[in-house]
Amino acid sequence: MKKISVHYLFTLLLLIVIFSCSENSETSTEPQNTANTIEASQMLNVSYGIDSKQVYDIYLPENRDENTKVLILVHGGGWTSGDKTDMNAYKTIAQEDIPEYAIVNMNYRLASQGVSPFPMQLNDITSVINHLKANHSEYLISQNYGFVGVSAGAHLAMLWSYSYDTENDINMVASIVGPTNLADSAYNDNPAFQIDLIMQYFGETPSTAFLETYSPLHQVESTSAPTILFYGGIDPLIPNSQGIDMNAKLTQLGVTHEFTLYPNEGHGWIGANLFDTWTKLKLFIVANH
């Protein structure tokens, strides 16, 4: 799966709302308190494991306390590529529009030939959650989390929320063009994204049971976290059925959710539809997290 172009085109939305932000990825700013306020701070490349990819950036808002909720960003890249920097535009606009949230932008170990993303990348999300919990008093944040994921990152965010969140820590999850059902027969007709071949590359046997185990559609329950979905009607990688079937399953289970299908968009979009995506996503975050 190729990187979604939304990562880069999101800068157009930043121009629409007229703001800018800069940062130095080599520096770390520790929290500083004054007599009357707790200042905003950031800590970059915080290690949550021994692998060089097991790091996250955390952006802490001013005047936070242990009720401050956390938004976790999960990048895409077909499970084999991508980086947390791909999500910087989401981080920046969230800081501007919903500044009361702490933001975590995470990396995870990447899959490769013979190295499966499952459950490795899901375990990395678990490690991030556990690290945030262990440091919540130092960071002055709550233990309530929400996810925004794109493409493969959206798949991981949904799957972790539905299948790995044993302590009900997740308040909401957003999927932007994320795979929802790896067992979908529609993938058989898609030369750009054939699940069986991808899984074999990872060294997996793509049995129906395996594919369903790692599919949000087959793991979601009536008690799962509120979910918002965005998909493109002419996406060359993700069949329409991925979003449509997920929407139907959430409706059937009575899970709070929203679903937007942009009929003429692909695996990413710009302009008015991108502005629409952020507007809906922001309102959903505020309402549910």
Side-chain angles (χ1 to χ4, degrees):
M1 192 189 305
K2 299 177 181 177
K3 293 181 185 177
I4 184 171
S5 59
V6 167
H7 291 153
Y8 308 102
L9 298 172
F10 211 93
T11 54
L12 295 180
L13 179 56
L14 307 187
L15 294 176
I16 291 172
V17 298
I18 315 176
F19 75 95
S20 64
C21 179
S22 63
E23 63 186 22
N24 183 345
S25 62
E26 300 300 322
T27 63
S28 175
T29 305
E30 298 293 341
Q32 295 182 358
N33 300 349
T34 67
N36 299 315
T37 187
I38 296 175
E39 295 184 355
S41 68
Q42 66 182 31
M43 286 172 276
L44 307 182
N45 294 315
V46 178
S47 177
Y48 66 86
I50 62 173
D51 191 274
S52 62
K53 278 291 186 180
Q54 292 176 307
V55 294
Y56 64 75
D57 302 335
I58 185 166
Y59 302 87
L60 300 167
E62 66 179 2
N63 295 328
R64 63 192 176 278
D65 57 31
E66 292 193 4
N67 294 312
T68 295
K69 295 174 181 178
V70 182
L71 195 62
I72 302 173
L73 309 180
V74 191
H75 71 79
W79 304 293
T80 63
S81 64
D83 185 81
K84 56 186 169 65
T85 56
D86 298 337
M87 299 296 285
N88 277 349
Y90 288 87
K91 176 269 297 183
T92 301
I93 197 169
Q95 285 181 303
E96 184 72 14
D97 279 8
I98 45 175
E100 65 272 25
Y101 290 87
I103 301 169
V104 171
N105 194 6
M106 64 170 289
N107 267 354
Y108 49 85
R109 289 170 292 172
L110 299 176
S112 59
Q113 186 170 6
V115 179
S116 177
F118 313 128
M120 175 178 69
Q121 293 171 355
L122 296 153
N123 291 341
D124 280 357
I125 294 178
T126 299
S127 295
V128 169
I129 296 289
N130 289 341
H131 196 272
L132 292 171
K133 284 185 174 184
N135 291 278
H136 79 99
S137 295
E138 176 187 347
Y139 292 161
L140 276 179
I141 56 174
S142 73
Q143 298 182 61
N144 295 300
Y145 311 100
F147 282 117
V148 175
V150 174
S151 197
H155 164 266
L156 295 170
M158 284 186 290
L159 186 57
W160 199 94
S161 298
Y162 301 157
S163 190
Y164 286 68
D165 183 21
T166 58
E167 298 184 13
N168 297 317
D169 294 319
I170 305 304
N171 289 346
M172 56 75 57
V173 58
S175 168
I176 302 173
V177 298
T180 64
N181 180 16
L182 302 183
D184 189 345
S185 60
Y187 282 123
N188 296 332
D189 301 320
N190 185 357
F193 193 62
Q194 292 183 317
I195 289 293
D196 283 2
L197 295 180
I198 291 172
M199 293 301 127
Q200 290 170 20
Y201 173 80
F202 294 146
E204 300 286 2
T205 301
S207 65
T208 298
F210 176 87
L211 296 176
E212 290 183 352
T213 295
Y214 292 105
S215 293
L217 180 76
H218 295 281
Q219 300 303 319
V220 66
E221 299 177 346
S222 61
T223 55
S224 291
T227 303
I228 187 167
L229 309 165
F230 299 95
Y231 290 85
I234 54 173
D235 191 329
L237 299 179
I238 307 300
N240 285 351
S241 53
Q242 296 288 286
I244 292 170
D245 291 353
M246 193 72 211
N247 177 51
K249 184 66 172 288
L250 293 167
T251 300
Q252 174 191 342
L253 293 173
V255 176
T256 298
H257 73 288
E258 294 180 16
F259 171 60
T260 300
L261 178 68
Y262 301 107
N264 299 316
E265 300 290 6
H267 202 62
W269 42 87
I270 61 174
N273 284 340
L274 183 56
F275 186 78
D276 180 72
T277 296
W278 174 249
T279 300
K280 290 176 177 175
L281 177 54
K282 176 179 67 175
L283 291 174
F284 193 85
I285 291 169
V286 173
N288 295 282
H289 182 29

